[in-house]
Amino acid sequence: MLFFTQCFGAVLDLIHLRFQHYKAKRVFSAAGQLVCVVNPTHSLKYAPTRCAAAQTSVEQGILPPCHHHEAVHDPQLVPCTCPLFSCPWEGHLEVVVSHLRQTHRINILQGAEIVFLATDMHLPAPTDWIIMHSCLGHQFLLVLRKQEKYEGHPQFFATMMLIGTPTQADNFTYRLELNRNQRRLKWEATPRSVLECVDSVISDGDCLVLNTSLAQLFSDNGSLAIGIAITTSKVHTTEAEM
């Protein structure tokens, strides 16, 4: 009986996971799209990344003190691009992907079109849902963040960052689409480079922004399915339509 109970529990877990995938695929017309279930990364103490802190200092006119005994910083080094972590790592763009996968255990999914299924949308801010997307010979970082820009009013911000230079990012167009209950919301824009920092993109509002009530319209039992498509394009447009 104990053996049967354990096996039955494992089968139920598998059925539940398959059901989540089915619900996400059912929302979108393309049944062949890959579905990735993404669990949230929650932090009780939100620490801004070093690149965001440095940008704030520059905007306020506060320059770091110059000490002749300090080593000169290599401008080609990139700080860790993983949100919600005050990670001291830095390295070249070529090793950013391996760092994110090995240190922060971020999954990577391949395909021109995928479905990003974020679970547990009810968790308090700040919370991130992160995945890497390999497409067209490049790697992209998709970040969905729940954050309070105004106290007591959490919002959801979704953006796509290219793990590459701004010049390379200009060659692509990404589309985020939500589709549920005869409602459709689409955001299309040029991805930003990870060199520009996720925090600054969210602060500028250059991304898909959802308030809590709007996110609930498109969520299903606390999960939010976002269709992602990446194309190569020289024509860049930014639009949000509903």
Side-chain angles (χ1 to χ4, degrees), residues 55-199:
Q55 181 180 5
T56 302
S57 298
V58 173
E59 292 175 351
Q60 295 177 350
I62 304 174
L63 298 179
C66 179
H67 301 288
H68 295 289
H69 65 273
E70 290 183 353
V72 178
H73 177 71
D74 187 349
Q76 295 182 345
L77 295 180
V78 181
C80 178
T81 58
C82 187
L84 281 186
F85 290 99
S86 182
C87 179
W89 180 91
E90 62 180 7
H92 294 275
L93 276 174
E94 293 78 9
V95 294
V96 169
V97 173
S98 59
H99 168 73
L100 293 176
R101 296 198 67 182
Q102 297 173 8
T103 303
H104 301 297
R105 306 297 182 185
I106 296 179
N107 295 324
I108 185 168
L109 198 64
Q110 297 183 357
E113 296 186 9
I114 64 174
V115 176
F116 178 96
L117 183 62
T119 64
D120 300 324
M121 302 293 294
H122 62 277
L123 288 178
T127 304
D128 277 6
W129 293 260
I130 311 168
I131 193 176
M132 282 191 293
H133 184 188
S134 179
C135 178
L136 302 175
H138 289 77
Q139 283 73 41
F140 300 82
L141 187 69
L142 177 68
V143 178
L144 173 64
R145 174 176 297 177
K146 184 178 183 180
Q147 179 176 317
E148 290 187 358
K149 293 198 70 172
Y150 306 100
E151 186 175 357
H153 298 280
Q155 292 177 300
F156 293 89
F157 305 86
T159 186
M160 182 76 75
M161 311 286 290
L162 172 71
I163 302 180
T165 65
T167 302
Q168 292 174 323
D170 287 339
N171 296 323
F172 299 95
T173 298
Y174 76 95
R175 185 180 72 247
L176 305 179
E177 183 175 337
L178 295 91
N179 191 343
R180 184 173 183 269
N181 291 337
Q182 299 181 345
R183 297 179 179 89
R184 176 175 296 178
L185 181 66
K186 183 171 67 174
W187 167 269
E188 186 173 302
T190 301
R192 303 278 285 271
S193 167
V194 293
L195 299 176
E196 302 179 57
C197 296
V198 176
D199 292 337

